[in-house]
Amino acid sequence: MRCPFCGNTDTQVKDSRPAEDHGAIRRRRFCPACGGRFTTYERVQLRDLVVVKTNGRREAFDREKLERSVRIALQKRNIEHERVDQMISGIVRRLESLGDSDIPSKLIGEIVMETLARIDTVAYVRFASVYKNFQEADDFDKFVSELRPEPKDTE
């Protein structure tokens, strides 16, 4: 592993332990050349996923990009960090198990929304507002009204 500080390729592992939901290995590393310490994570990757955008453009799936968008939606919400990591790992596993390496971006968005809806409705609405490109307050009102259960008749 190359040292991010000096570029030395001869770094040493000082500590290894399971991370997240045991879906990754966290390694603390040390660089003998510059004395730098850093952390790396090893994850099992079943296949290389490619995201197919709505305009047909293709790009490599980026777990960090998915994680950033989910964390933005969950900002200032009382959700444990470990639960978010488990959620993201679950989404990635679900995408990898679809059987195809080409994944439409629309499907990724739907899976993220479905997962956020189960965890936190505020984060779900935040994510949906970006994903569905809300333009005005009425878009929010319409979306939120679909979340509310219909009132029951008392007669």
Side-chain angles (χ1 to χ4, degrees), residues 24-41:
I25 297 175
R26 178 183 184 269
R27 298 194 193 278
R28 285 294 296 158
R29 295 182 178 265
F30 170 76
C31 176
C34 71
R37 294 180 180 271
F38 58 101
T39 302
T40 60
Y41 291 89

Side-chain angles (χ1 to χ4, degrees), residues 51-64:
V51 178
V52 181
K53 302 288 192 167
T54 53
N55 65 4
R57 195 168 49 93
R58 300 161 55 87
E59 65 181 52
F61 175 77
D62 184 355
R63 181 190 172 98
E64 283 76 32

Side-chain angles (χ1 to χ4, degrees), residues 67-77 123 126 130:
E67 186 173 349
R68 269 192 315 275
S69 64
V70 168
R71 290 201 187 279
I72 288 169
L74 287 165
Q75 205 167 27
K76 295 186 180 180
R77 302 300 298 158
R126 286 178 179 170
V130 175

